[in-house]
Amino acid sequence: MNWNTFIEEEKKKDYFKKLMVSVNKEYEDNICYPSYDNIFHAFEMTPLDNVKVVILGQDPYHEPNQAHGLAFSVLCDKLPPSLINIYKEMESDLGIKVKQDGNLDYLARQGVLLLNTVLTVRKGEAFSHKDYGWQVFTDNVIKLLNELNQPIVFILWGSPSIKKEKLLNNPNHLVIKSAHPSPLSSYRGFFGSKPFSRTNNFLISNGIMPINWTK
């Protein structure tokens, strides 16, 4: 099994056909993010058998020059507040200095699947595509990962992501959950949660190369 096979199987299902009718119409009628070619970018960057960590976000950033298909990652120097807080916790947790340019491709290449629960959004309207059916698709992604024997760390930030914990019952995996890194909730349990060192400790304990969180 690989991501291409998985996605092709999902495309045959009724929910996915309806989903893509809605998504295609949105992209024709409105400005949407990420670019159409980047909707499945996370799966292109992190092959299924390379997945070590899943960081679960909500939906893509909805302003220009930000979203490119990886949760929390942007292609611009103006960093969203959530990403700023992620970098702060990364530096505090690991005692390192991170090059804060916004692009998290370097993590995806190491096996960090940066997955949103909803993969598309209309410009300026957060969660505008939440009723299209993306959650069915991403739930199926999580179920597939849960079934794998390879140890995986699932990092769930915020209540929508934490709700996905019910899909994770494989004792081979580690679930790390906390408040979301957004400024509205980061001081209610995100800061100080040490997800990055906990992830690496788990990977090392399972004989897996840890993530290099620096660039």
Side-chain angles (χ1 to χ4, degrees), residues 106-162:
Y106 77 105
L107 296 180
R109 285 192 293 268
Q110 294 182 70
V112 181
L113 181 65
L114 296 159
L115 179 67
N116 281 313
T117 58
V118 174
L119 299 190
T120 58
V121 70
R122 189 183 308 139
K123 179 182 178 181
E125 298 182 43
F127 241 33
S128 49
H129 292 181
K130 66 181 177 62
D131 296 324
Y132 288 177
W134 277 124
Q135 285 95 335
V136 178
F137 173 77
T138 52
D139 279 3
N140 289 344
V141 169
I142 295 168
K143 289 174 184 176
L144 173 62
L145 291 166
N146 177 65
E147 293 170 359
L148 299 180
N149 288 324
Q150 64 202 55
I152 297 172
V153 181
F154 292 85
I155 299 177
L156 312 180
W157 288 330
S159 55
S161 294
I162 290 171

Coordinates of all heavy atoms in Angstrom, one line a residue, residues 106-162:
Y106 N 11.1 20.6 5.2 CA 12.3 19.9 5.8 C 11.8 18.8 6.8 O 12.4 17.8 7.0 CB 13.3 20.8 6.5 CG 12.9 21.4 7.8 CD1 13.5 20.9 9.0 CD2 12.0 22.4 8.0 CE1 13.2 21.4 10.2 CE2 11.6 22.9 9.2 CZ 12.2 22.4 10.3 OH 11.9 22.9 11.6
L107 N 10.7 19.1 7.5 CA 10.1 18.1 8.4 C 9.4 17.0 7.6 O 9.5 15.8 7.9 CB 9.1 18.8 9.4 CG 9.7 19.8 10.3 CD1 8.6 20.3 11.2 CD2 10.8 19.1 11.2
A108 N 8.6 17.4 6.6 CA 7.9 16.4 5.7 C 8.8 15.4 5.1 O 8.5 14.2 5.0 CB 7.1 17.2 4.7
R109 N 10.0 15.9 4.7 CA 11.0 15.0 4.1 C 11.5 14.0 5.1 O 12.1 13.0 4.7 CB 12.1 15.8 3.4 CG 11.7 16.5 2.1 CD 12.9 17.0 1.4 NE 13.6 18.1 2.1 CZ 13.3 19.4 1.9 NH1 12.4 19.8 1.0 NH2 13.9 20.4 2.6
Q110 N 11.5 14.3 6.3 CA 12.0 13.4 7.4 C 10.9 12.4 7.9 O 11.2 11.6 8.8 CB 12.5 14.2 8.6 CG 13.7 15.0 8.3 CD 14.2 15.8 9.5 OE1 14.7 15.1 10.4 NE2 14.0 17.1 9.6
G111 N 9.7 12.5 7.4 CA 8.7 11.6 7.8 C 7.6 12.2 8.7 O 6.9 11.4 9.4
V112 N 7.5 13.5 8.7 CA 6.5 14.2 9.5 C 5.3 14.5 8.5 O 5.5 15.4 7.7 CB 7.0 15.4 10.2 CG1 5.9 16.1 11.0 CG2 8.2 15.1 11.1
L113 N 4.2 13.8 8.7 CA 3.1 14.0 7.8 C 2.3 15.2 8.4 O 1.7 15.1 9.5 CB 2.2 12.8 7.8 CG 0.9 12.9 6.9 CD1 1.3 13.1 5.4 CD2 0.0 11.7 7.1
L114 N 2.3 16.3 7.7 CA 1.7 17.6 8.2 C 0.3 17.6 7.6 O 0.1 18.1 6.5 CB 2.5 18.8 7.8 CG 3.9 18.8 8.5 CD1 4.9 19.7 7.7 CD2 3.8 19.3 9.9
L115 N -0.7 17.1 8.3 CA -2.0 16.8 7.8 C -3.1 17.7 8.4 O -3.2 17.8 9.6 CB -2.4 15.3 8.1 CG -3.7 14.8 7.6 CD1 -3.8 14.8 6.1 CD2 -4.0 13.5 8.2
N116 N -3.9 18.3 7.6 CA -5.0 19.0 8.0 C -6.3 18.1 8.0 O -6.3 17.2 7.1 CB -5.3 20.3 7.2 CG -4.4 21.5 7.6 OD1 -4.3 21.8 8.7 ND2 -3.8 22.1 6.6
T117 N -7.2 18.3 8.9 CA -8.5 17.5 8.8 C -9.3 17.9 7.6 O -10.1 17.1 7.1 CB -9.3 17.6 10.1 OG1 -9.6 19.0 10.3 CG2 -8.5 17.2 11.3
V118 N -9.2 19.1 7.1 CA -9.8 19.6 5.9 C -8.7 20.2 5.0 O -7.9 20.9 5.4 CB -10.9 20.7 6.2 CG1 -11.5 21.3 5.0 CG2 -12.0 20.2 7.1
L119 N -8.7 19.8 3.7 CA -7.6 20.0 2.9 C -7.7 21.3 2.0 O -6.7 21.7 1.4 CB -7.3 18.8 2.0 CG -6.9 17.5 2.7 CD1 -6.4 16.5 1.7 CD2 -5.9 17.7 3.8
T120 N -8.8 21.9 2.0 CA -9.0 23.1 1.2 C -9.8 24.2 1.9 O -10.5 23.9 2.9 CB -9.7 22.8 -0.1 OG1 -11.0 22.2 0.2 CG2 -8.9 21.8 -1.0
V121 N -9.7 25.4 1.5 CA -10.4 26.5 2.1 C -10.6 27.7 1.1 O -9.8 27.8 0.2 CB -9.6 27.0 3.3 CG1 -8.3 27.7 2.9 CG2 -10.5 27.9 4.2
R122 N -11.7 28.4 1.3 CA -12.0 29.6 0.5 C -11.2 30.8 1.1 O -11.1 30.9 2.3 CB -13.5 29.9 0.4 CG -13.9 31.0 -0.6 CD -15.4 31.2 -0.4 NE -16.1 30.0 -0.5 CZ -17.2 29.7 0.3 NH1 -17.6 30.6 1.2 NH2 -17.8 28.6 0.1
K123 N -10.7 31.6 0.2 CA -9.9 32.8 0.6 C -10.7 33.6 1.7 O -11.9 33.9 1.5 CB -9.6 33.7 -0.5 CG -8.8 35.0 -0.2 CD -8.6 35.8 -1.4 CE -7.9 37.1 -1.0 NZ -7.6 38.0 -2.1
G124 N -10.0 33.8 2.8 CA -10.6 34.7 3.8 C -11.7 34.1 4.7 O -12.2 34.8 5.6
E125 N -12.0 32.8 4.5 CA -13.1 32.2 5.3 C -12.6 30.9 5.9 O -12.7 29.8 5.2 CB -14.3 32.0 4.3 CG -14.8 33.3 3.7 CD -16.1 33.0 2.9 OE1 -16.9 32.2 3.3 OE2 -16.1 33.6 1.8
A126 N -12.1 30.9 7.1 CA -11.6 29.7 7.8 C -12.7 28.7 7.9 O -13.9 29.0 8.1 CB -11.1 30.1 9.1
F127 N -12.3 27.4 7.7 CA -13.2 26.3 7.8 C -14.4 26.3 6.8 O -15.4 25.7 7.1 CB -13.7 26.1 9.2 CG -13.3 24.8 9.9 CD1 -12.1 24.2 9.6 CD2 -14.1 24.2 10.8 CE1 -11.7 23.1 10.1 CE2 -13.7 23.0 11.4 CZ -12.5 22.4 11.1
S128 N -14.3 27.1 5.7 CA -15.4 27.2 4.8 C -15.7 25.9 4.0 O -16.8 25.8 3.5 CB -15.1 28.4 3.8 OG -13.8 28.2 3.2
H129 N -14.8 25.0 4.0 CA -15.0 23.7 3.3 C -15.2 22.6 4.3 O -15.1 21.4 3.9 CB -13.8 23.4 2.4 CG -13.7 24.4 1.2 ND1 -12.7 24.3 0.2 CD2 -14.5 25.5 0.9 CE1 -12.9 25.2 -0.7 NE2 -13.9 26.0 -0.3
K130 N -15.6 22.9 5.5 CA -15.6 21.8 6.5 C -16.8 20.8 6.3 O -16.7 19.7 6.8 CB -15.8 22.4 7.9 CG -17.1 23.2 8.1 CD -17.1 23.8 9.5 CE -18.4 24.6 9.8 NZ -19.6 23.8 9.7
D131 N -17.8 21.2 5.5 CA -18.9 20.3 5.3 C -18.9 19.6 4.0 O -19.9 19.0 3.6 CB -20.2 21.2 5.4 CG -20.5 21.8 6.7 OD1 -20.1 21.1 7.7 OD2 -21.0 22.9 6.8
Y132 N -17.8 19.6 3.3 CA -17.7 19.0 2.0 C -17.4 17.5 2.0 O -17.7 16.8 1.0 CB -16.6 19.6 1.1 CG -17.0 21.0 0.6 CD1 -16.1 21.8 -0.1 CD2 -18.2 21.6 0.9 CE1 -16.4 23.1 -0.5 CE2 -18.6 22.8 0.5 CZ -17.7 23.6 -0.2 OH -18.0 24.8 -0.7
G133 N -16.8 17.0 3.1 CA -16.5 15.6 3.2 C -15.0 15.3 3.4 O -14.7 14.1 3.5
W134 N -14.2 16.3 3.6 CA -12.8 16.1 3.8 C -12.5 15.3 5.0 O -11.6 14.5 5.1 CB -12.0 17.4 3.9 CG -11.7 18.0 2.5 CD1 -12.0 19.3 2.1 CD2 -10.9 17.4 1.5 NE1 -11.5 19.5 0.9 CE2 -10.8 18.4 0.5 CE3 -10.3 16.2 1.3 CZ2 -10.1 18.1 -0.7 CZ3 -9.6 15.9 0.1 CH2 -9.6 16.9 -0.9
Q135 N -13.4 15.5 6.1 CA -13.1 14.7 7.3 C -13.2 13.2 7.1 O -12.5 12.5 7.8 CB -14.0 15.2 8.5 CG -13.7 16.5 9.0 CD -14.4 17.7 8.4 OE1 -14.9 17.6 7.3 NE2 -14.6 18.8 9.1
V136 N -14.1 12.8 6.2 CA -14.2 11.4 6.0 C -12.9 10.9 5.4 O -12.3 9.8 5.8 CB -15.4 11.1 5.0 CG1 -15.4 9.6 4.7 CG2 -16.7 11.6 5.6
F137 N -12.4 11.6 4.4 CA -11.1 11.2 3.8 C -10.0 11.2 4.8 O -9.2 10.2 4.9 CB -10.7 12.2 2.7 CG -9.4 12.0 2.1 CD1 -9.2 11.0 1.2 CD2 -8.3 12.8 2.4 CE1 -7.9 10.8 0.6 CE2 -7.1 12.6 1.9 CZ -6.9 11.6 1.0
T138 N -9.8 12.3 5.6 CA -8.7 12.3 6.5 C -8.9 11.3 7.7 O -7.9 10.8 8.2 CB -8.4 13.8 7.0 OG1 -9.7 14.3 7.5 CG2 -7.9 14.6 5.9
D139 N -10.1 11.1 8.1 CA -10.3 10.0 9.1 C -9.9 8.7 8.5 O -9.3 7.8 9.3 CB -11.8 9.9 9.4 CG -12.2 10.9 10.5 OD1 -11.4 11.7 10.9 OD2 -13.4 10.9 10.9
N140 N -10.1 8.4 7.2 CA -9.6 7.2 6.6 C -8.1 7.1 6.5 O -7.5 6.0 6.7 CB -10.3 7.0 5.3 CG -11.7 6.7 5.3 OD1 -12.3 6.3 6.4 ND2 -12.4 6.8 4.2
V141 N -7.5 8.3 6.4 CA -6.0 8.4 6.4 C -5.5 7.9 7.8 O -4.6 7.1 7.9 CB -5.5 9.8 6.1 CG1 -4.0 9.9 6.4 CG2 -5.8 10.1 4.6
I142 N -6.1 8.5 8.8 CA -5.7 8.2 10.2 C -6.0 6.7 10.5 O -5.1 6.1 11.2 CB -6.5 9.1 11.2 CG1 -6.0 10.6 11.0 CG2 -6.2 8.7 12.6 CD1 -6.9 11.6 11.7
K143 N -7.1 6.2 10.1 CA -7.4 4.8 10.3 C -6.3 3.9 9.7 O -5.9 2.9 10.3 CB -8.8 4.4 9.8 CG -9.9 5.0 10.6 CD -11.2 4.7 9.9 CE -12.4 5.4 10.6 NZ -13.7 5.2 9.9
L144 N -5.9 4.2 8.5 CA -4.9 3.5 7.8 C -3.6 3.5 8.6 O -2.9 2.5 8.8 CB -4.7 4.0 6.4 CG -3.5 3.4 5.6 CD1 -3.7 1.9 5.4 CD2 -3.4 4.1 4.2
L145 N -3.2 4.7 9.0 CA -1.9 4.9 9.7 C -2.0 4.1 11.1 O -1.0 3.5 11.5 CB -1.7 6.3 10.0 CG -1.3 7.2 8.7 CD1 -1.4 8.6 9.0 CD2 0.1 6.8 8.3
N146 N -3.2 4.1 11.7 CA -3.3 3.4 13.0 C -3.1 1.9 12.8 O -2.6 1.3 13.8 CB -4.7 3.7 13.5 CG -5.0 2.9 14.8 OD1 -4.4 3.2 15.8 ND2 -6.0 2.0 14.7
E147 N -3.4 1.4 11.7 CA -3.3 -0.1 11.4 C -1.8 -0.5 11.2 O -1.5 -1.7 11.3 CB -4.1 -0.5 10.3 CG -5.6 -0.4 10.5 CD -6.5 -0.6 9.3 OE1 -5.9 -0.8 8.2 OE2 -7.7 -0.5 9.4
L148 N -0.9 0.5 10.9 CA 0.4 0.1 10.6 C 1.2 -0.4 11.8 O 0.9 0.1 12.9 CB 1.2 1.3 10.0 CG 0.6 1.9 8.7 CD1 1.4 3.0 8.2 CD2 0.6 0.8 7.6
N149 N 2.1 -1.3 11.6 CA 2.9 -1.8 12.7 C 4.1 -0.8 13.1 O 4.5 -0.8 14.2 CB 3.5 -3.2 12.4 CG 2.4 -4.2 12.4 OD1 1.5 -4.2 13.2 ND2 2.5 -5.2 11.5
Q150 N 4.5 0.0 12.1 CA 5.6 0.9 12.4 C 5.2 1.9 13.5 O 4.1 2.5 13.3 CB 6.0 1.6 11.1 CG 5.0 2.5 10.5 CD 5.2 2.8 9.0 OE1 5.3 1.9 8.2 NE2 5.2 4.1 8.7
P151 N 6.0 2.1 14.5 CA 5.6 3.1 15.6 C 5.5 4.5 15.0 O 6.4 4.9 14.3 CB 6.7 3.0 16.6 CG 7.3 1.6 16.3 CD 7.2 1.4 14.9
I152 N 4.4 5.2 15.3 CA 4.1 6.5 14.8 C 3.7 7.4 16.0 O 2.9 6.9 16.8 CB 3.0 6.5 13.7 CG1 3.5 5.7 12.5 CG2 2.7 7.9 13.3 CD1 2.4 5.5 11.5
V153 N 4.1 8.6 16.0 CA 3.7 9.6 17.0 C 2.6 10.5 16.3 O 2.8 11.0 15.2 CB 4.8 10.5 17.4 CG1 4.3 11.5 18.5 CG2 6.0 9.7 18.0
F154 N 1.5 10.5 17.0 CA 0.4 11.4 16.5 C 0.3 12.6 17.5 O 0.0 12.5 18.7 CB -1.0 10.6 16.6 CG -1.0 9.5 15.5 CD1 -0.5 8.3 15.8 CD2 -1.6 9.8 14.3 CE1 -0.6 7.3 14.8 CE2 -1.7 8.8 13.3 CZ -1.2 7.5 13.6
I155 N 0.5 13.8 16.9 CA 0.5 15.0 17.7 C -0.8 15.7 17.4 O -1.1 16.2 16.3 CB 1.7 15.9 17.4 CG1 3.0 15.2 17.7 CG2 1.6 17.2 18.1 CD1 4.3 16.0 17.4
L156 N -1.7 15.8 18.4 CA -3.0 16.4 18.2 C -3.1 17.7 19.0 O -3.0 17.7 20.2 CB -4.1 15.4 18.7 CG -4.0 13.9 18.3 CD1 -5.1 13.1 18.9 CD2 -4.0 13.8 16.8
W157 N -3.3 18.8 18.2 CA -3.4 20.1 18.9 C -4.8 20.7 18.7 O -5.2 20.9 17.6 CB -2.3 21.0 18.2 CG -0.9 20.7 18.6 CD1 -0.5 20.2 19.7 CD2 0.2 21.0 17.8 NE1 0.9 20.1 19.7 CE2 1.4 20.6 18.5 CE3 0.4 21.5 16.5 CZ2 2.7 20.7 18.0 CZ3 1.7 21.7 16.0 CH2 2.8 21.2 16.8
G158 N -5.4 21.0 19.8 CA -6.7 21.6 19.8 C -7.8 20.5 19.7 O -7.6 19.4 19.3
S159 N -9.0 20.9 20.2 CA -10.1 20.0 20.3 C -10.6 19.2 19.1 O -10.8 18.0 19.1 CB -11.3 20.7 21.0 OG -11.8 21.8 20.2
P160 N -10.6 19.9 17.9 CA -11.0 19.1 16.7 C -10.0 18.0 16.4 O -10.4 16.9 16.0 CB -11.0 20.2 15.6 CG -11.2 21.5 16.3 CD -10.5 21.3 17.6
S161 N -8.7 18.2 16.6 CA -7.7 17.2 16.4 C -7.8 16.1 17.5 O -7.7 14.9 17.2 CB -6.3 17.8 16.4 OG -6.2 18.6 15.3
I162 N -8.0 16.6 18.7 CA -8.0 15.6 19.9 C -9.2 14.6 19.7 O -9.1 13.5 20.1 CB -8.1 16.4 21.2 CG1 -6.7 17.1 21.5 CG2 -8.4 15.4 22.4 CD1 -6.7 18.0 22.6

